[in-house]
Amino acid sequence: MDRYKEIEAFVQVMEHGSLASAALHAGITPVMMGRRIDALEKRLGTQLMHRSTRRLVLTEQGATFLDECRGLLAQWASAEAAVSSQHHSASGHLVVSAPAAFGRMHVAPHASAFLKANPQVRISFNLTDRVVDLVRDGYDMALRIGNVIDPNFVAIKLATNQRVVCGTPAYFRKHGKPKTLEDLKSHNCLAFNLQGGQQRGWYFLQDGKTVTVRAEGNLDCNDGELLHRWVSEGLGLGWRSTWEIQLQLQRGELVTVLDEFALPEYDILAVYPQQRHLPAKVRFFIDHLKKIYARPGYWLRDTP
């Protein structure tokens, strides 16, 4: 059996916490993953981990060997990247995280063109509004929108975004338009939550300071696309990103209010851990998205 695959399997199992999770990430069966670990321990003549149905625990020898294996894999990746960066093609498994709605609308639809130009690449997407740990969870890169970036990461600007309060013309004809932030209390504000009904605030700029207004309404959820649909149906006001609603604004299907209180634009970023040699698969995919987002009128076209 390939020694590299054995070492890679050992590192993946410890990073993902189980044979099943590591196997899913690697695209193989848990049985195959277990066989690679067994072959590695047999070849070394020592037990690297204690396995049970609930958890994996490294032995003393396993803990020492794990650090060495991580170093070897990092050196191997750097060597491959140094060579591949000299060519105009990429290869390998690219693992990407992106916010759920943004990923569905503006990342995943562009994968087919990228794969056509780079047939030796395989891409796995994880679309979630949770901020993932790139290193611990084994991601090559992530798309982030206006988040604070860890100083150990590199962030590449892809485009800009702004948050605005919006609603349908029909909603405003029936309920009127808010003129001040205080007026939001008398409107049905459709809120985003991530903690079982605990509503998040909407942020604005007032008198040079960032202020928070609690969004109160009869609907809230943890799915941005569902909130967008509710706003588009005229059920209430939403605090939405311009990347999501630009086309509707141009068509007059949605109208913004309180623009004078909107926070300044912020960046849509591609983020990856700092490393000596950036793999071509990451660099090429970032360049691919950057070129697409820079096309005139891109944000005003229909979602692919």
Side-chain angles (χ1 to χ4, degrees), residues 216-227:
E216 297 285 1
N218 60 8
L219 286 170
D220 68 81
C221 70
N222 67 343
D223 186 286
E225 286 183 293
L226 181 56
L227 277 175

Side-chain angles (χ1 to χ4, degrees), residues 170-202:
Y171 175 89
F172 291 126
R173 284 195 297 270
K174 184 175 182 179
H175 301 283
K177 292 183 179 181
K179 300 292 195 303
T180 67
L181 298 184
E182 187 71 17
D183 290 344
L184 287 174
K185 293 180 180 179
S186 61
H187 285 267
N188 194 36
C189 298
L190 307 179
F192 186 83
N193 73 68
L194 280 176
Q195 299 179 351
Q198 180 179 345
Q199 297 179 356
R200 298 295 182 94
W202 294 0

Side-chain angles (χ1 to χ4, degrees), residues 21 51 57 123 130 170 199 223 257-258 299:
S21 179
R51 284 181 261 178
V57 179
I123 304 179
R130 180 177 63 87
Q199 297 179 356
D223 186 286
V257 293
L258 303 173
W299 302 100

